[in-house]
Amino acid sequence: MKRAFIIVAGGKGERMGGALPKQFLPLHGKPLLMHTLAKCHSWDSEADLLVVIPQAHCDYWRMLCREIGCSIPHTVVYGGANRFESVRNGLQATDCDGLIAVHDGVRPFVSLDVITACFEAAVAFGAAIPVMPLTETVRLLTDDGGSRTFDRSCLRSVQTPQVFAASLLRQAYLLPYCADFTDDASVVESIGATIGLVRGNPENIKITTPTDLLFARAFLSQ
Amino acid sequence: MKRAFIIVAGGKGERMGGALPKQFLPLHGKPLLMHTLAKCHSWDSEADLLVVIPQAHCDYWRMLCREIGCSIPHTVVYGGANRFESVRNGLQATDCDGLIAVHDGVRPFVSLDVITACFEAAVAFGAAIPVMPLTETVRLLTDDGGSRTFDRSCLRSVQTPQVFAASLLRQAYLLPYCADFTDDASVVESIGATIGLVRGNPENIKITTPTDLLFARAFLSQ
């Protein structure tokens, strides 16, 4: 079955506190995004790989690929005004009619096993995402300006790749943009689909802060 | 005003996957717990420091302090069957009548500024804890076995130190144990107190997995 990865790297890097968008931060001689691209390629070298980045950064990305010698075949797609638009642009750039994974460009450490589990569950459910239990106590902010302890056992923290039957994902992305769409599962469930949950891996964090980057360097140095 | 830190290190290390309880894991030549103790001492060298560890580990801890040359004055308190009992034992071992902080023994990276903010807010509110916004999308498991996206903007992830007026904390810890008490704020709010929230620091993680330990080593190497 044909597979595709839409690798979303639309970030402009505000949270990292530097001028360089976080997907381009160097990690062991390669930008973060290139590690993520390599991970997807290593899982399925036949998959259609779409890298979605802001139009303004496309030339820079191509230069990085050329200079570093990244020979992984992939399509560069212009990002949109938000994540939803970026994924939609990615969808329009592939004719994949099998399973499509949407993956954050700044999550290079997803394990191959988790990718496999997501694709397998997507065959069964039409939609599958990796999740983790929350390790800290959680509080809920209440309407009166206060807060109270919230039972974290019924919460899950969501990772990517989020994998969907192509037809389902395309149908969901016909919707108009809504600010409640914080990930692809939220888009797909808004048309009534059920989302299968599989266990993610703890290292599969989104590298968005200097603290995350510190972890990323340590993890790669192992 | 007299201050005390109850440093809770009751863990038997199951989550780390090794035989050594996590509070004793070596980090730059010192066990994790000793870093945490040193952090509290560096914030207020006059504070009453209580280290709560399982009775079976007390001799081992004293040996570590002797061999490594830890000269920070502190009281060793036997842990209980759960965190609630451990904190209660810590409370009984101090006559502090000012503000009491309860802090996880495996959180050595709380910033001095966050400790200050918690103590200041506890003066105002009687109870204050450090919290962080959640960075990942969150799903709520529903009663029908499914799940749905949950608005993470109204959730906060809870850290320590959790700081309380001594009288309030002592009153709360007269309660019988309840499995819903996942932290000290949940105990104190069960007697009707309001919990003040201050912003934590992102590095202030609980070191409980090999991945966390990897981060901890990287953070200390900076």
Side-chain angles (χ1 to χ4, degrees):
Chain A
M1 186 194 286
K2 182 72 185 173
R3 302 185 187 104
F5 283 86
I6 299 174
I7 302 171
V8 191
K12 295 183 180 65
E14 291 87 349
R15 271 204 279 186
M16 192 65 83
L20 196 67
K22 55 188 182 289
Q23 60 269 28
F24 299 131
L25 286 171
L27 201 60
H28 283 225
K30 284 198 299 196
L32 202 44
L33 178 57
M34 214 174 278
H35 287 273
T36 307
L37 180 65
K39 179 65 66 69
C40 297
H41 181 66
S42 73
W43 185 78
D44 178 5
S45 62
E46 301 294 311
D48 199 8
L49 301 176
L50 303 112
V51 172
V52 189
I53 40 183
Q55 183 171 357
H57 301 152
C58 287
D59 284 347
Y60 180 66
W61 169 249
R62 290 194 185 95
M63 180 275 292
L64 288 172
C65 289
R66 204 167 50 238
E67 295 301 319
I68 295 168
C70 171
S71 59
I72 298 169
H74 66 277
T75 305
V76 176
V77 178
Y78 294 162
N82 48 51
R83 185 194 163 90
F84 178 86
E85 285 188 15
S86 290
V87 173
R88 196 171 58 192
N89 292 358
L91 268 177
Q92 287 165 355
T94 175
D95 59 4
C96 174
D97 58 1
L99 290 173
I100 301 180
V102 184
H103 188 52
D104 293 324
V106 291
R107 286 197 202 260
F109 301 136
V110 62
S111 73
L112 296 176
D113 287 347
V114 166
I115 301 177
T116 300
C118 289
F119 272 89
E120 286 179 356
V123 171
F125 291 98
I129 64 174
V131 298
M132 293 293 286
L134 277 70
T135 54
E136 307 276 25
T137 293
V138 170
R139 292 186 78 81
L140 180 74
L141 305 184
T142 48
D143 291 340
D144 59 1
S147 66
R148 64 174 171 82
T149 302
F150 191 86
D151 177 13
R152 74 166 179 255
S153 70
C154 60
L155 294 175
R156 293 291 179 276
S157 182
V158 174
Q159 304 180 339
T160 72
Q162 305 197 341
V163 184
F164 308 92
S167 56
L168 179 65
L169 191 61
R170 289 185 196 283
Q171 188 191 341
Y173 270 88
L174 293 174
L175 290 171
Y177 170 70
C178 161
D180 292 344
F181 295 154
T182 57
D183 66 350
D184 309 287
S186 60
V187 182
V188 168
E189 76 182 341
S190 73
I191 61 165
T194 299
I195 311 294
L197 305 184
V198 307
R199 193 179 173 91
N201 60 299
E203 307 80 16
N204 185 21
I205 62 165
K206 209 165 161 175
I207 316 281
T208 55
T209 67
T211 305
D212 299 334
L213 194 64
L214 190 68
F215 164 77
R217 294 195 168 124
F219 187 71
L220 279 182
S221 296
Q222 276 190 121
Chain B
M1 187 194 290
K2 181 74 186 172
R3 302 184 186 104
F5 283 87
I6 298 174
I7 302 172
V8 190
K12 294 183 179 64
E14 290 88 350
R15 272 205 278 186
M16 191 65 83
L20 196 68
K22 54 189 185 284
Q23 60 269 27
F24 299 132
L25 286 170
L27 201 61
H28 283 224
K30 282 197 299 195
L32 203 44
L33 178 58
M34 215 175 277
H35 287 273
T36 307
L37 179 66
K39 179 65 64 73
C40 297
H41 182 67
S42 74
W43 184 77
D44 178 5
S45 62
E46 301 295 312
D48 199 7
L49 301 177
L50 304 112
V51 172
V52 188
I53 40 183
Q55 182 170 359
H57 301 152
C58 287
D59 283 349
Y60 180 65
W61 170 249
R62 289 195 187 94
M63 180 276 291
L64 287 172
C65 288
R66 204 167 49 237
E67 294 301 317
I68 295 168
C70 171
S71 59
I72 298 170
H74 66 278
T75 305
V76 176
V77 178
Y78 293 163
N82 48 50
R83 186 194 162 88
F84 178 86
E85 284 187 15
S86 291
V87 173
R88 196 173 55 192
N89 292 357
L91 268 176
Q92 286 164 355
T94 176
D95 59 4
C96 174
D97 59 0
L99 291 173
I100 300 180
V102 183
H103 188 50
D104 294 323
V106 291
R107 286 197 202 260
F109 301 137
V110 62
S111 74
L112 296 176
D113 286 348
V114 166
I115 301 176
T116 300
C118 289
F119 272 89
E120 285 179 356
V123 171
F125 291 98
I129 65 175
V131 299
M132 293 292 286
L134 277 70
T135 54
E136 306 276 23
T137 292
V138 170
R139 292 185 77 81
L140 180 73
L141 305 184
T142 49
D143 291 339
D144 59 1
S147 66
R148 63 174 172 81
T149 302
F150 191 86
D151 177 13
R152 74 165 180 255
S153 70
C154 59
L155 295 175
R156 293 292 181 274
S157 182
V158 174
Q159 304 179 339
T160 72
Q162 304 196 343
V163 184
F164 307 93
S167 55
L168 179 65
L169 190 61
R170 290 185 194 281
Q171 187 191 343
Y173 270 87
L174 294 175
L175 288 171
Y177 170 71
C178 162
D180 291 344
F181 294 154
T182 57
D183 66 348
D184 308 288
S186 59
V187 182
V188 168
E189 75 183 339
S190 73
I191 59 164
T194 299
I195 311 294
L197 305 183
V198 308
R199 191 178 175 90
N201 60 300
E203 307 80 15
N204 184 21
I205 62 167
K206 210 166 158 173
I207 316 282
T208 55
T209 68
T211 305
D212 298 334
L213 194 63
L214 190 68
F215 164 76
R217 293 194 168 123
F219 188 72
L220 278 182
S221 297
Q222 277 190 123

Short mmCIF file of all heavy atoms in Angstrom, two decimals, chain B residues 1-5 37-50 72-74 94-96 99 119:
data_model
loop_
_atom_site.label_atom_id
_atom_site.label_comp_id
_atom_site.label_asym_id
_atom_site.label_seq_id
_atom_site.Cartn_x
_atom_site.Cartn_y
_atom_site.Cartn_z
N MET B 1 11.09 34.99 59.07
CA MET B 1 10.15 33.89 59.31
C MET B 1 10.85 32.54 59.10
O MET B 1 11.63 32.38 58.18
CB MET B 1 8.97 33.99 58.33
CG MET B 1 7.86 32.99 58.62
SD MET B 1 6.69 32.87 57.25
CE MET B 1 5.86 34.45 57.34
N LYS B 2 10.58 31.63 60.00
CA LYS B 2 11.19 30.31 59.92
C LYS B 2 10.62 29.53 58.73
O LYS B 2 9.42 29.56 58.48
CB LYS B 2 10.90 29.55 61.22
CG LYS B 2 11.50 28.16 61.30
CD LYS B 2 13.00 28.17 61.53
CE LYS B 2 13.56 26.75 61.46
NZ LYS B 2 15.03 26.74 61.49
N ARG B 3 11.50 28.86 58.00
CA ARG B 3 11.07 28.09 56.83
C ARG B 3 11.60 26.66 56.94
O ARG B 3 12.66 26.43 57.54
CB ARG B 3 11.63 28.70 55.55
CG ARG B 3 11.24 30.15 55.32
CD ARG B 3 11.78 30.59 53.98
NE ARG B 3 11.58 32.01 53.76
CZ ARG B 3 12.53 32.94 53.85
NH1 ARG B 3 13.77 32.59 54.16
NH2 ARG B 3 12.25 34.20 53.60
N ALA B 4 10.86 25.75 56.33
CA ALA B 4 11.31 24.36 56.29
C ALA B 4 11.06 23.78 54.90
O ALA B 4 10.14 24.21 54.19
CB ALA B 4 10.57 23.53 57.34
N PHE B 5 11.90 22.85 54.52
CA PHE B 5 11.70 22.06 53.30
C PHE B 5 11.55 20.60 53.70
O PHE B 5 12.45 20.04 54.32
CB PHE B 5 12.91 22.16 52.37
CG PHE B 5 13.02 23.43 51.59
CD1 PHE B 5 13.65 24.54 52.14
CD2 PHE B 5 12.50 23.51 50.30
CE1 PHE B 5 13.77 25.72 51.41
CE2 PHE B 5 12.62 24.69 49.58
CZ PHE B 5 13.24 25.80 50.13
N LEU B 37 18.89 18.57 47.75
CA LEU B 37 19.15 19.09 49.11
C LEU B 37 20.00 20.35 49.03
O LEU B 37 19.71 21.36 49.69
CB LEU B 37 19.86 18.00 49.92
CG LEU B 37 20.25 18.32 51.37
CD1 LEU B 37 19.00 18.52 52.24
CD2 LEU B 37 21.12 17.20 51.96
N ALA B 38 21.03 20.31 48.20
CA ALA B 38 21.94 21.46 48.06
C ALA B 38 21.19 22.67 47.49
O ALA B 38 21.45 23.81 47.89
CB ALA B 38 23.12 21.09 47.17
N LYS B 39 20.25 22.42 46.57
CA LYS B 39 19.48 23.53 46.00
C LYS B 39 18.66 24.23 47.07
O LYS B 39 18.65 25.46 47.18
CB LYS B 39 18.59 23.02 44.86
CG LYS B 39 17.73 24.07 44.18
CD LYS B 39 18.50 25.13 43.42
CE LYS B 39 19.30 24.62 42.26
NZ LYS B 39 18.54 24.24 41.09
N CYS B 40 17.99 23.45 47.90
CA CYS B 40 17.17 24.04 48.97
C CYS B 40 18.04 24.81 49.95
O CYS B 40 17.71 25.92 50.37
CB CYS B 40 16.38 22.95 49.69
SG CYS B 40 15.21 22.07 48.63
N HIS B 41 19.17 24.21 50.30
CA HIS B 41 20.10 24.84 51.24
C HIS B 41 20.66 26.14 50.67
O HIS B 41 20.83 27.13 51.39
CB HIS B 41 21.23 23.86 51.56
CG HIS B 41 22.22 24.37 52.56
ND1 HIS B 41 21.91 24.61 53.88
CD2 HIS B 41 23.54 24.68 52.42
CE1 HIS B 41 22.98 25.05 54.52
NE2 HIS B 41 23.99 25.10 53.65
N SER B 42 20.92 26.14 49.37
CA SER B 42 21.50 27.34 48.75
C SER B 42 20.48 28.48 48.71
O SER B 42 20.83 29.64 48.71
CB SER B 42 22.02 27.05 47.35
OG SER B 42 20.95 26.90 46.44
N TRP B 43 19.20 28.12 48.71
CA TRP B 43 18.17 29.16 48.69
C TRP B 43 18.02 29.80 50.07
O TRP B 43 17.84 31.01 50.19
CB TRP B 43 16.83 28.58 48.23
CG TRP B 43 15.78 29.64 48.09
CD1 TRP B 43 15.65 30.55 47.08
CD2 TRP B 43 14.74 29.94 49.03
NE1 TRP B 43 14.60 31.39 47.32
CE2 TRP B 43 14.02 31.04 48.51
CE3 TRP B 43 14.36 29.38 50.25
CZ2 TRP B 43 12.91 31.58 49.18
CZ3 TRP B 43 13.26 29.92 50.91
CH2 TRP B 43 12.56 31.01 50.37
N ASP B 44 18.08 28.97 51.13
CA ASP B 44 17.98 29.49 52.50
C ASP B 44 18.78 28.59 53.42
O ASP B 44 18.31 27.52 53.82
CB ASP B 44 16.51 29.55 52.95
CG ASP B 44 16.36 30.04 54.39
OD1 ASP B 44 17.38 30.43 55.01
OD2 ASP B 44 15.23 30.05 54.91
N SER B 45 19.97 29.04 53.78
CA SER B 45 20.85 28.19 54.58
C SER B 45 20.35 28.03 56.01
O SER B 45 20.86 27.20 56.77
CB SER B 45 22.28 28.76 54.58
OG SER B 45 22.28 30.04 55.17
N GLU B 46 19.34 28.84 56.39
CA GLU B 46 18.77 28.75 57.75
C GLU B 46 17.55 27.84 57.80
O GLU B 46 17.02 27.57 58.89
CB GLU B 46 18.34 30.14 58.23
CG GLU B 46 19.46 31.17 58.27
CD GLU B 46 20.50 30.80 59.31
OE1 GLU B 46 20.11 30.47 60.45
OE2 GLU B 46 21.71 30.79 58.96
N ALA B 47 17.05 27.42 56.62
CA ALA B 47 15.82 26.62 56.61
C ALA B 47 16.05 25.26 57.26
O ALA B 47 17.14 24.70 57.20
CB ALA B 47 15.33 26.45 55.18
N ASP B 48 14.99 24.76 57.85
CA ASP B 48 15.00 23.42 58.44
C ASP B 48 14.83 22.43 57.28
O ASP B 48 13.85 22.51 56.54
CB ASP B 48 13.80 23.35 59.40
CG ASP B 48 13.94 22.22 60.40
OD1 ASP B 48 14.99 21.57 60.44
OD2 ASP B 48 12.95 21.99 61.12
N LEU B 49 15.77 21.53 57.10
CA LEU B 49 15.72 20.61 55.95
C LEU B 49 15.43 19.20 56.44
O LEU B 49 16.17 18.65 57.27
CB LEU B 49 17.05 20.62 55.20
CG LEU B 49 17.50 21.97 54.64
CD1 LEU B 49 18.88 21.86 53.98
CD2 LEU B 49 16.49 22.50 53.62
N LEU B 50 14.35 18.61 55.92
CA LEU B 50 13.96 17.25 56.30
C LEU B 50 13.98 16.38 55.07
O LEU B 50 13.30 16.67 54.08
CB LEU B 50 12.56 17.27 56.93
CG LEU B 50 12.52 18.24 58.12
CD1 LEU B 50 11.64 19.42 57.80
CD2 LEU B 50 12.13 17.52 59.38
N ILE B 72 25.73 19.52 54.61
CA ILE B 72 24.51 20.30 54.77
C ILE B 72 23.70 19.72 55.92
O ILE B 72 23.34 18.54 55.89
CB ILE B 72 23.66 20.28 53.47
CG1 ILE B 72 24.44 20.90 52.32
CG2 ILE B 72 22.32 20.97 53.68
CD1 ILE B 72 23.81 20.69 50.96
N PRO B 73 23.44 20.52 56.95
CA PRO B 73 22.69 19.97 58.09
C PRO B 73 21.27 19.64 57.69
O PRO B 73 20.59 20.47 57.06
CB PRO B 73 22.70 21.11 59.13
CG PRO B 73 23.27 22.30 58.46
CD PRO B 73 23.72 21.95 57.09
N HIS B 74 20.82 18.44 57.99
CA HIS B 74 19.45 18.04 57.66
C HIS B 74 19.03 16.90 58.56
O HIS B 74 19.87 16.21 59.15
CB HIS B 74 19.33 17.64 56.19
CG HIS B 74 20.09 16.41 55.82
ND1 HIS B 74 21.44 16.42 55.54
CD2 HIS B 74 19.71 15.11 55.69
CE1 HIS B 74 21.85 15.20 55.24
NE2 HIS B 74 20.81 14.38 55.33
N THR B 94 9.37 18.42 62.26
CA THR B 94 9.80 19.83 62.32
C THR B 94 8.82 20.62 63.18
O THR B 94 7.62 20.36 63.17
CB THR B 94 9.91 20.46 60.91
OG1 THR B 94 10.24 21.86 61.07
CG2 THR B 94 8.61 20.36 60.12
N ASP B 95 9.37 21.62 63.90
CA ASP B 95 8.49 22.49 64.67
C ASP B 95 8.29 23.82 63.95
O ASP B 95 7.83 24.79 64.54
CB ASP B 95 9.05 22.71 66.08
CG ASP B 95 10.45 23.33 66.05
OD1 ASP B 95 10.93 23.66 64.94
OD2 ASP B 95 11.05 23.48 67.13
N CYS B 96 8.62 23.85 62.67
CA CYS B 96 8.49 25.08 61.88
C CYS B 96 7.06 25.59 61.93
O CYS B 96 6.11 24.83 61.67
CB CYS B 96 8.91 24.82 60.43
SG CYS B 96 8.61 26.24 59.35
N LEU B 99 6.55 29.01 57.08
CA LEU B 99 6.15 28.44 55.79
C LEU B 99 6.90 27.13 55.57
O LEU B 99 8.12 27.06 55.82
CB LEU B 99 6.46 29.40 54.65
CG LEU B 99 5.62 30.69 54.60
CD1 LEU B 99 6.17 31.62 53.52
CD2 LEU B 99 4.15 30.38 54.32
N PHE B 119 7.38 30.90 47.73
CA PHE B 119 7.31 31.37 49.12
C PHE B 119 6.57 32.70 49.20
O PHE B 119 5.75 32.91 50.09
CB PHE B 119 8.71 31.46 49.74
CG PHE B 119 9.18 30.17 50.36
CD1 PHE B 119 9.86 29.22 49.62
CD2 PHE B 119 8.89 29.89 51.70
CE1 PHE B 119 10.27 28.01 50.18
CE2 PHE B 119 9.30 28.68 52.27
CZ PHE B 119 9.99 27.74 51.51
#
